């Protein structure tokens, strides 16, 4: 096999390895709750805009490397409208061909070999790959139940002093925990005046069940050291479009734009037109998405409580963090659910060492399948006794 030493040191992506693979399951119809692909359709207006934009001659040629003015302005207007955050469209906005590209590429843009990068544990699986590709050192930012929030005083001081970048993600994937303005204020205060930067992965921004999720950029002085990465995939049911953006600290944004100018030649213009249309016209759709997943959360948690099956309270996002039975770790319980109940979920261990005794359940399935799935899980209450 021909592979560089740097790439060889990185474990295979869990979802890259498993998505699309044939699954051997038990006798019941399979219910796939392993991935966070929204089950609803992209709104018709966005599809119509995309179809029309495909026929636009200017979109059939190379475009500006760093994006259309119309798309960047839509991002600026959206952040002002939703969060009362002002942005400069040229200096503080970077368009991303999928937020994963930005989150994985970021360490290469701003982190030097040997410097520490703090990664949430539990947290999204592929942050670590970006750190290793940059020859940097991944360090765990342990998030403890029930709130799964940073506790800076528990991080080793030597590690903190050599930390160049911190990843945060709220609503948290996989735990469903959320952050308040105070949490972000504390993070900014912790690192203001140091060399440490912060990236907040805001992929599940639309889903806050008790109150609206705050942006880290709402905190005072946040743009001195932080960026936020926003995805259109979940809130707008646009996961196949692969469109997102980063906003915030201008130095980080410019580094990301320089990196992108060498790795790809800009985003397809029709995608930008569709994304701009979504941002400009579908605020109410985000509210409906939130209502849908709040209703699903309420039903699912109530059924688990009735069966005395333990889980972590889901305050936002689209995933529920379920404890495994006492005699199972996450990987063993995934196989048990698959063979006995024909339910596919994700094991907790890819999300960090502190996910060993959990599985992640996606609520991004239709309501009928969700009802069936929770009934099948209720039938396993004897395993938790």
């Amino acid at each position: 096999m021909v592979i560089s030493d740097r790439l060889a040191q990185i474990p295979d992506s869990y979802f890259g390895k498993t998505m699309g693979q044939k699954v051997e399951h038990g006798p019941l119809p399979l219910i796939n709750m392993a991935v966070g692909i929204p089950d609803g359709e992209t709104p018709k207006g966005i599809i119509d805009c995309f179809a029309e934009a495909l026929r636009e001659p200017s979109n059939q040629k190379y475009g500006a490397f760093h994006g259309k003015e119309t798309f960047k302005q839509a991002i600026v207007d959206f952040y002002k409208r939703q969060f009362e955050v002002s942005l400069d469209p040229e200096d503080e906005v970077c368009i991303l061909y999928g937020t994963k590209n930005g989150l994985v590429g970021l360490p290469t843009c701003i982190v030097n070999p040997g410097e520490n990068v703090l990664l949430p544990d539990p947290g999204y699986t592929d942050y670590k790959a970006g750190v290793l590709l940059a020859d940097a050192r991944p360090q765990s930012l342990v998030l403890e139940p029930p709130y799964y929030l940073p506790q800076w005083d528990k991080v080793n001081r030597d590690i903190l002093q050599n930390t160049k970048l911190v990843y945060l993600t709220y609503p948290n994937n996989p735990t469903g925990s959320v952050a308040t303005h105070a949490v972000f204020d504390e993070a900014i205060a912790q690192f203001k005046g140091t060399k440490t930067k912060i990236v907040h992965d805001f992929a599940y921004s639309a889903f806050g069940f008790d109150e609206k999720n705050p942006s880290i950029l709402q905190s005072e002085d946040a743009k001195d050291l932080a960026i936020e990465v926003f995805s259109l995939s979940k809130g707008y049911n646009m996961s196949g479009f692969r469109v997102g953006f980063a906003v915030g600290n201008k130095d980080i944004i410019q580094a990301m734009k320089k990196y992108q100018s060498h790795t790809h030649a800009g985003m397809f213009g029709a995608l930008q037109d569709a994304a701009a249309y979504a941002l400009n016209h579908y605020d109410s759709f985000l509210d409906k998405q939130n209502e849908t997943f709040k209703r699903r959360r309420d039903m699912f948690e109530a059924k688990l409580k009735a069966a005395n099956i333990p889980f972590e309270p889901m305050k936002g996002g689209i995933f529920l963090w379920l404890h495994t039975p006492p005699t199972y770790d996450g990987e063993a319980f995934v196989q048990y659910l698959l063979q006995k109940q024909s339910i596919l979920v994700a094991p907790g261990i890819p999300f960090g060492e502190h996910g060993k005794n959990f599985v992640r359940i996606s609520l991004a399935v239709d309501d009928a399948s969700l009802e069936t799935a929770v009934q099948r899980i209720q039938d396993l209450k004897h395993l938790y006794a």
Side-chain angles (χ1 to χ4, degrees), residues 209-274:
F209 305 138
D210 298 325
E211 58 183 321
K212 182 181 175 68
N213 291 308
S215 162
I216 195 172
L217 299 184
Q218 291 173 296
S219 294
E220 187 176 359
D221 300 323
K223 286 198 288 184
D224 289 348
L225 65 154
I227 65 166
E228 191 157 71
V229 176
F230 188 98
S231 173
L232 277 73
S233 295
K234 319 300 182 184
Y236 298 94
N237 289 340
M238 292 175 67
S239 56
F241 287 68
R242 310 307 303 144
V243 179
F245 53 86
V247 292
N249 177 269
K250 64 181 181 180
D251 293 329
I252 303 175
I253 292 298
Q254 295 312 308
M256 294 178 75
K257 289 168 73 171
K258 179 177 181 179
Y259 174 79
Q260 286 197 140
S261 70
H262 291 288
T263 56
H264 67 263
M267 178 180 288
F268 181 31
L271 281 177
Q272 295 186 59
D273 292 343

Side-chain angles (χ1 to χ4, degrees), residues 323-343:
H323 288 259
T324 61
T327 58
Y328 292 81
D329 66 11
E331 292 178 330
F333 195 48
V334 165
Q335 290 304 312
Y336 185 93
L337 285 171
L338 191 58
Q339 300 307 320
K340 299 297 183 182
Q341 300 291 38
S342 296
I343 297 173

Side-chain angles (χ1 to χ4, degrees), residues 4-22:
S4 69
D5 292 342
R6 179 181 285 109
L7 190 58
Q9 72 172 326
I10 300 171
D12 290 339
S13 167
Y14 174 78
F15 292 107
K17 183 171 58 176
T18 57
M19 278 186 65
Q21 297 296 310
K22 185 177 180 181

Side-chain angles (χ1 to χ4, degrees), residues 161-183:
Q161 288 174 1
N162 191 39
T163 290
K164 188 63 172 290
L165 179 63
V166 178
Y167 281 75
L168 299 176
T169 173
Y170 294 101
N172 180 274
N173 172 15
T175 68
S177 57
V178 296
T180 62
H181 290 287
V183 170

Side-chain angles (χ1 to χ4, degrees), residues 205-211 213 285-295 316-317:
S205 60
F207 307 97
F209 305 138
D210 298 325
E211 58 183 321
N213 291 308
F285 185 77
L286 297 180
D287 295 334
K288 291 177 182 177
Q289 287 280 78
N290 189 47
E291 291 168 6
T292 295
F293 279 84
K294 183 179 188 298
R295 173 175 49 77

Side-chain angles (χ1 to χ4, degrees), residues 62-379:
Y62 284 135
F65 269 38
H66 299 306
K68 292 188 173 188
E69 299 302 323
T70 50
F71 184 23
K72 288 183 285 188
Q73 189 60 49
I75 293 167
V76 170
D77 293 343
F78 176 82
Y79 254 73
K80 185 65 176 178
R81 195 167 63 247
Q82 289 284 329
F83 306 112
E84 278 298 314
V85 170
S86 298
L87 295 166
D88 183 292
E90 297 304 320
D91 290 341
E92 297 176 337
V93 175
C94 178
I95 293 167
L96 300 172
Y97 239 136
T99 56
K100 179 176 176 176
N101 287 342
L103 291 163
V104 172
L106 178 59
T108 296
C109 299
I110 67 168
V111 179
N112 297 312
E115 291 180 319
N116 293 325
V117 179
L118 282 180
L119 303 179
D121 178 4
Y124 180 56
T125 60
D126 284 326
Y127 298 150
K128 186 176 180 179
V131 178
L132 295 176
L133 285 168
D135 288 332
R137 299 173 58 190
Q139 303 285 356
S140 289
L141 176 62
V142 177
L143 307 179
E144 297 179 354
Y147 303 114
Y148 292 97
L149 297 171
Q151 299 179 73
W152 305 113
D153 59 341
K154 291 188 176 183
V155 181
N156 182 284
R157 295 299 301 175
D158 291 337
I159 290 176
L160 273 184
Q161 288 174 1
N162 191 39
T163 290
K164 188 63 172 290
L165 179 63
V166 178
Y167 281 75
L168 299 176
T169 173
Y170 294 101
N172 180 274
N173 172 15
T175 68
S177 57
V178 296
T180 62
H181 290 287
V183 170
F184 290 138
D185 290 347
E186 183 182 13
I188 299 301
Q190 174 69 38
F191 296 108
K192 183 173 172 57
T194 73
K195 69 177 182 179
T196 306
K197 307 302 182 187
I198 299 174
V199 55
H200 178 228
D201 179 358
F202 209 17
Y204 302 94
S205 60
F207 307 97
F209 305 138
D210 298 325
E211 58 183 321
K212 182 181 175 68
N213 291 308
S215 162
I216 195 172
L217 299 184
Q218 291 173 296
S219 294
E220 187 176 359
D221 300 323
K223 286 198 288 184
D224 289 348
L225 65 154
I227 65 166
E228 191 157 71
V229 176
F230 188 98
S231 173
L232 277 73
S233 295
K234 319 300 182 184
Y236 298 94
N237 289 340
M238 292 175 67
S239 56
F241 287 68
R242 310 307 303 144
V243 179
F245 53 86
V247 292
N249 177 269
K250 64 181 181 180
D251 293 329
I252 303 175
I253 292 298
Q254 295 312 308
M256 294 178 75
K257 289 168 73 171
K258 179 177 181 179
Y259 174 79
Q260 286 197 140
S261 70
H262 291 288
T263 56
H264 67 263
M267 178 180 288
F268 181 31
L271 281 177
Q272 295 186 59
D273 292 343
Y277 191 86
L279 292 174
N280 287 334
H281 294 90
Y282 281 90
D283 287 0
S284 61
F285 185 77
L286 297 180
D287 295 334
K288 291 177 182 177
Q289 287 280 78
N290 189 47
E291 291 168 6
T292 295
F293 279 84
K294 183 179 188 298
R295 173 175 49 77
R296 292 176 178 179
R297 186 279 307 260
D298 291 346
M299 181 278 293
F300 210 90
E301 287 193 349
K303 298 279 190 180
L304 294 178
K305 286 178 182 176
N308 291 317
I309 294 176
F311 59 91
E312 294 301 318
M314 182 182 175
K315 299 298 185 180
I318 65 174
F319 302 112
L320 184 133
W321 197 228
L322 181 75
H323 288 259
T324 61
T327 58
Y328 292 81
D329 66 11
E331 292 178 330
F333 195 48
V334 165
Q335 290 304 312
Y336 185 93
L337 285 171
L338 191 58
Q339 300 307 320
K340 299 297 183 182
Q341 300 291 38
S342 296
I343 297 173
L344 179 62
V345 299
I349 193 64
F351 300 95
E353 293 181 8
H354 289 76
K356 181 179 180 181
N357 294 314
F358 291 87
V359 295
R360 192 195 73 172
I361 297 178
S362 170
L363 303 192
V365 296
D366 64 85
D367 289 356
S369 296
L370 202 63
E371 290 270 6
T372 301
V374 75
Q375 288 169 9
R376 293 183 192 176
I377 294 172
Q378 281 182 307
D379 291 342

